[in-house]
Short mmCIF file of all heavy atoms in Angstrom, two decimals:
data_model
loop_
_atom_site.label_atom_id
_atom_site.label_comp_id
_atom_site.label_asym_id
_atom_site.label_seq_id
_atom_site.Cartn_x
_atom_site.Cartn_y
_atom_site.Cartn_z
N GLY A 25 141.19 -23.54 -48.89
CA GLY A 25 140.27 -23.91 -49.98
C GLY A 25 141.11 -24.30 -51.36
O GLY A 25 140.77 -25.18 -52.02
N ALA A 26 142.06 -23.40 -51.69
CA ALA A 26 142.88 -23.59 -52.82
C ALA A 26 143.63 -24.83 -52.74
O ALA A 26 143.69 -25.69 -53.72
CB ALA A 26 143.78 -22.42 -53.14
N LEU A 27 144.12 -25.20 -51.57
CA LEU A 27 144.82 -26.53 -51.37
C LEU A 27 143.96 -27.56 -51.39
O LEU A 27 144.35 -28.66 -52.00
CB LEU A 27 145.63 -26.42 -50.01
CG LEU A 27 146.49 -27.47 -49.55
CD1 LEU A 27 147.48 -27.72 -50.49
CD2 LEU A 27 146.96 -27.58 -48.11
N GLU A 28 142.74 -27.44 -50.91
CA GLU A 28 141.74 -28.55 -51.07
C GLU A 28 141.44 -28.86 -52.42
O GLU A 28 141.10 -30.12 -52.81
CB GLU A 28 140.51 -28.18 -50.26
CG GLU A 28 139.33 -29.23 -50.27
CD GLU A 28 138.15 -28.67 -49.57
OE1 GLU A 28 138.11 -27.43 -49.12
OE2 GLU A 28 137.20 -29.48 -49.49
N LEU A 29 141.42 -27.94 -53.23
CA LEU A 29 141.03 -28.02 -54.80
C LEU A 29 142.26 -28.57 -55.68
O LEU A 29 142.08 -29.00 -56.76
CB LEU A 29 140.41 -26.94 -55.38
CG LEU A 29 139.13 -26.44 -54.76
CD1 LEU A 29 138.65 -25.08 -55.39
CD2 LEU A 29 138.06 -27.55 -54.82
N ALA A 30 143.45 -28.65 -55.00
CA ALA A 30 144.65 -29.08 -55.86
C ALA A 30 144.32 -30.51 -56.41
O ALA A 30 143.97 -31.46 -55.55
CB ALA A 30 145.78 -29.05 -55.02
N GLY A 31 144.62 -30.77 -57.64
CA GLY A 31 144.35 -32.07 -58.17
C GLY A 31 145.31 -33.17 -57.81
O GLY A 31 144.99 -34.35 -57.78
N ASP A 32 146.51 -32.69 -57.51
CA ASP A 32 147.62 -33.81 -57.11
C ASP A 32 147.75 -34.02 -55.62
O ASP A 32 148.68 -34.65 -55.12
CB ASP A 32 148.98 -33.38 -57.65
CG ASP A 32 149.30 -31.95 -57.09
OD1 ASP A 32 148.46 -31.30 -56.57
OD2 ASP A 32 150.52 -31.53 -57.29
N LEU A 33 146.65 -33.58 -54.76
CA LEU A 33 146.77 -33.81 -53.33
C LEU A 33 146.18 -35.11 -52.95
O LEU A 33 145.06 -35.41 -53.57
CB LEU A 33 145.98 -32.64 -52.64
CG LEU A 33 146.25 -32.45 -51.15
CD1 LEU A 33 147.68 -32.05 -50.97
CD2 LEU A 33 145.28 -31.40 -50.54
N PRO A 34 146.79 -35.92 -52.17
CA PRO A 34 146.19 -37.20 -51.66
C PRO A 34 144.87 -36.97 -50.88
O PRO A 34 144.70 -35.80 -50.35
CB PRO A 34 147.36 -37.80 -50.82
CG PRO A 34 148.52 -37.08 -51.25
CD PRO A 34 148.16 -35.71 -51.66
N PRO A 35 144.02 -37.84 -51.03
CA PRO A 35 142.74 -37.75 -50.22
C PRO A 35 142.77 -37.41 -48.80
O PRO A 35 142.16 -36.60 -48.32
CB PRO A 35 142.05 -39.05 -50.47
CG PRO A 35 142.59 -39.54 -51.74
CD PRO A 35 143.98 -39.18 -51.73
N ARG A 36 143.87 -38.01 -48.12
CA ARG A 36 144.07 -37.85 -46.76
C ARG A 36 144.40 -36.25 -46.48
O ARG A 36 143.84 -35.61 -45.61
CB ARG A 36 145.05 -38.69 -46.14
CG ARG A 36 145.32 -38.46 -44.71
CD ARG A 36 146.25 -39.65 -44.14
NE ARG A 36 147.49 -39.70 -44.96
CZ ARG A 36 148.60 -38.96 -44.60
NH1 ARG A 36 148.54 -38.20 -43.58
NH2 ARG A 36 149.71 -39.08 -45.25
N HIS A 37 145.28 -35.67 -47.32
CA HIS A 37 145.59 -34.27 -47.12
C HIS A 37 144.57 -33.34 -47.52
O HIS A 37 144.42 -32.29 -47.02
CB HIS A 37 146.91 -34.13 -47.94
CG HIS A 37 148.17 -34.86 -47.53
ND1 HIS A 37 149.26 -34.93 -48.11
CD2 HIS A 37 148.27 -35.50 -46.34
CE1 HIS A 37 150.08 -35.60 -47.49
NE2 HIS A 37 149.58 -35.97 -46.32
N ARG A 38 143.66 -33.78 -48.49
CA ARG A 38 142.61 -33.01 -48.98
C ARG A 38 141.63 -32.88 -47.86
O ARG A 38 141.07 -31.76 -47.60
CB ARG A 38 141.99 -33.49 -50.19
CG ARG A 38 140.85 -32.70 -50.83
CD ARG A 38 140.33 -33.14 -52.13
NE ARG A 38 141.20 -32.92 -53.22
CZ ARG A 38 141.91 -33.86 -53.77
NH1 ARG A 38 141.88 -35.20 -53.39
NH2 ARG A 38 142.87 -33.69 -54.80
N ALA A 39 141.51 -33.95 -47.15
CA ALA A 39 140.39 -34.00 -46.08
C ALA A 39 140.91 -33.08 -44.98
O ALA A 39 140.17 -32.29 -44.20
CB ALA A 39 140.20 -35.37 -45.53
N ALA A 40 142.30 -33.11 -44.71
CA ALA A 40 142.93 -32.16 -43.73
C ALA A 40 142.73 -30.85 -44.09
O ALA A 40 142.49 -29.91 -43.26
CB ALA A 40 144.35 -32.56 -43.46
N ALA A 41 142.91 -30.42 -45.41
CA ALA A 41 142.81 -29.10 -45.84
C ALA A 41 141.38 -28.61 -45.71
O ALA A 41 141.11 -27.46 -45.31
CB ALA A 41 143.30 -28.93 -47.18
N SER A 42 140.29 -29.51 -45.91
CA SER A 42 138.99 -29.17 -45.79
C SER A 42 138.70 -28.94 -44.31
O SER A 42 137.96 -27.94 -44.05
CB SER A 42 138.08 -30.41 -46.28
OG SER A 42 136.76 -29.98 -46.09
N GLU A 43 139.22 -29.67 -43.40
CA GLU A 43 139.00 -29.42 -41.99
C GLU A 43 139.69 -28.05 -41.64
O GLU A 43 139.07 -27.36 -40.72
CB GLU A 43 139.55 -30.60 -41.23
CG GLU A 43 138.80 -31.99 -41.38
CD GLU A 43 139.43 -33.14 -40.62
OE1 GLU A 43 140.48 -32.89 -39.93
OE2 GLU A 43 138.90 -34.21 -40.71
N LEU A 44 140.82 -27.90 -42.06
CA LEU A 44 141.46 -26.59 -41.81
C LEU A 44 140.64 -25.36 -42.13
O LEU A 44 140.49 -24.48 -41.48
CB LEU A 44 142.86 -26.56 -42.47
CG LEU A 44 143.59 -25.31 -42.37
CD1 LEU A 44 143.88 -24.92 -40.83
CD2 LEU A 44 144.94 -25.33 -43.02
N ARG A 45 140.21 -25.53 -43.47
CA ARG A 45 139.29 -24.42 -44.03
C ARG A 45 137.98 -24.19 -43.08
O ARG A 45 137.59 -23.01 -42.80
CB ARG A 45 138.95 -24.60 -45.42
CG ARG A 45 138.00 -23.61 -45.98
CD ARG A 45 137.65 -23.84 -47.43
NE ARG A 45 137.02 -25.10 -47.54
CZ ARG A 45 135.72 -25.41 -47.27
NH1 ARG A 45 134.93 -24.39 -46.90
NH2 ARG A 45 135.12 -26.67 -47.36
N ALA A 46 137.42 -25.34 -42.72
CA ALA A 46 136.17 -25.13 -41.91
C ALA A 46 136.40 -24.66 -40.59
O ALA A 46 135.76 -23.84 -40.08
CB ALA A 46 135.46 -26.69 -41.87
N GLY A 47 137.57 -25.17 -39.96
CA GLY A 47 138.02 -24.59 -38.71
C GLY A 47 138.29 -23.14 -38.69
O GLY A 47 137.89 -22.45 -37.84
N VAL A 48 138.95 -22.69 -39.74
CA VAL A 48 139.38 -21.21 -39.79
C VAL A 48 138.05 -20.42 -40.02
O VAL A 48 137.87 -19.33 -39.44
CB VAL A 48 140.38 -20.96 -40.97
CG1 VAL A 48 140.50 -19.55 -41.22
CG2 VAL A 48 141.73 -21.62 -40.66
N THR A 49 137.16 -20.96 -40.78
CA THR A 49 135.89 -20.20 -41.03
C THR A 49 135.07 -20.09 -39.76
O THR A 49 134.55 -19.13 -39.41
CB THR A 49 135.07 -20.89 -42.13
OG1 THR A 49 135.87 -21.03 -43.27
CG2 THR A 49 133.85 -20.16 -42.39
N THR A 50 135.05 -21.21 -39.08
CA THR A 50 134.25 -21.24 -37.72
C THR A 50 134.95 -20.22 -36.78
O THR A 50 134.23 -19.54 -36.09
CB THR A 50 134.30 -22.55 -37.13
OG1 THR A 50 133.63 -23.49 -38.04
CG2 THR A 50 133.48 -22.60 -35.84
N ALA A 51 136.33 -20.25 -36.77
CA ALA A 51 137.03 -19.25 -35.85
C ALA A 51 136.62 -17.77 -36.12
O ALA A 51 136.45 -17.05 -35.32
CB ALA A 51 138.56 -19.44 -35.88
N ALA A 52 136.61 -17.54 -37.46
CA ALA A 52 136.34 -16.23 -37.93
C ALA A 52 134.79 -15.74 -37.57
O ALA A 52 134.58 -14.79 -37.02
CB ALA A 52 136.46 -16.09 -39.37
N GLU A 53 133.91 -16.71 -37.70
CA GLU A 53 132.47 -16.50 -37.25
C GLU A 53 132.42 -16.28 -35.70
O GLU A 53 131.70 -15.40 -35.25
CB GLU A 53 131.69 -17.49 -37.69
CG GLU A 53 131.59 -17.75 -39.28
CD GLU A 53 130.77 -19.05 -39.60
OE1 GLU A 53 130.38 -19.80 -38.67
OE2 GLU A 53 130.48 -19.17 -40.86
N ARG A 54 133.20 -17.08 -34.86
CA ARG A 54 133.17 -16.90 -33.43
C ARG A 54 133.79 -15.58 -33.12
O ARG A 54 133.25 -14.93 -32.08
CB ARG A 54 134.01 -18.14 -32.81
CG ARG A 54 133.27 -19.48 -33.06
CD ARG A 54 131.81 -19.44 -32.29
NE ARG A 54 131.23 -20.76 -32.51
CZ ARG A 54 130.25 -20.99 -33.50
NH1 ARG A 54 130.12 -20.07 -34.49
NH2 ARG A 54 129.81 -22.24 -33.68
N LEU A 55 134.81 -15.22 -33.80
CA LEU A 55 135.47 -13.87 -33.48
C LEU A 55 134.42 -12.74 -33.70
O LEU A 55 134.32 -11.87 -32.96
CB LEU A 55 136.70 -13.73 -34.28
CG LEU A 55 137.39 -12.35 -34.24
CD1 LEU A 55 137.94 -12.18 -32.92
CD2 LEU A 55 138.46 -12.17 -35.38
N SER A 56 133.68 -12.93 -34.80
CA SER A 56 132.64 -11.93 -35.16
C SER A 56 131.58 -11.84 -33.94
O SER A 56 131.09 -10.80 -33.60
CB SER A 56 132.03 -12.17 -36.47
OG SER A 56 131.06 -11.24 -36.80
N GLU A 57 131.14 -13.03 -33.55
CA GLU A 57 130.17 -13.15 -32.43
C GLU A 57 130.81 -12.47 -31.24
O GLU A 57 130.00 -11.59 -30.58
CB GLU A 57 129.87 -14.51 -32.13
CG GLU A 57 129.14 -15.38 -33.12
CD GLU A 57 128.90 -16.79 -32.74
OE1 GLU A 57 128.81 -16.96 -31.55
OE2 GLU A 57 128.78 -17.70 -33.61
N ILE A 58 131.91 -12.69 -30.74
CA ILE A 58 132.46 -12.16 -29.53
C ILE A 58 132.55 -10.64 -29.65
O ILE A 58 132.23 -9.88 -28.74
CB ILE A 58 133.78 -12.79 -29.29
CG1 ILE A 58 133.60 -14.33 -28.98
CG2 ILE A 58 134.47 -12.05 -28.01
CD1 ILE A 58 134.95 -15.13 -28.74
N ILE A 59 133.14 -10.20 -30.81
CA ILE A 59 133.30 -8.72 -31.00
C ILE A 59 131.99 -8.02 -31.03
O ILE A 59 131.78 -6.85 -30.52
CB ILE A 59 134.24 -8.32 -32.23
CG1 ILE A 59 135.70 -9.05 -32.14
CG2 ILE A 59 134.35 -6.90 -32.45
CD1 ILE A 59 136.22 -8.56 -30.80
N GLY A 60 131.00 -8.72 -31.61
CA GLY A 60 129.62 -8.13 -31.75
C GLY A 60 129.05 -7.95 -30.38
O GLY A 60 128.24 -7.09 -30.14
N LEU A 61 129.33 -8.89 -29.42
CA LEU A 61 128.89 -8.70 -28.05
C LEU A 61 129.57 -7.58 -27.19
O LEU A 61 128.93 -6.89 -26.42
CB LEU A 61 128.91 -9.95 -27.28
CG LEU A 61 128.08 -11.15 -27.79
CD1 LEU A 61 128.42 -12.53 -27.10
CD2 LEU A 61 126.46 -10.90 -27.62
#
């Protein structure tokens, strides 16, 4: 998320950082689901 907000980051890299943050967040949520079961 900090990398996504960097002002000197090209749009293509900012989009990649946004996808990385979303993927990590989804992975954390899926991990919580599995452990909860």
Side-chain angles (χ1 to χ4, degrees):
L27 183 62
E28 181 183 0
L29 297 177
D32 56 347
L33 195 68
R36 180 170 58 87
H37 293 166
R38 182 175 289 107
S42 177
E43 292 177 0
L44 174 62
R45 178 180 58 80
V48 171
T49 302
T50 302
E53 294 174 359
R54 294 296 178 268
L55 175 65
S56 178
E57 292 179 26
I58 296 172
I59 299 303
L61 294 175

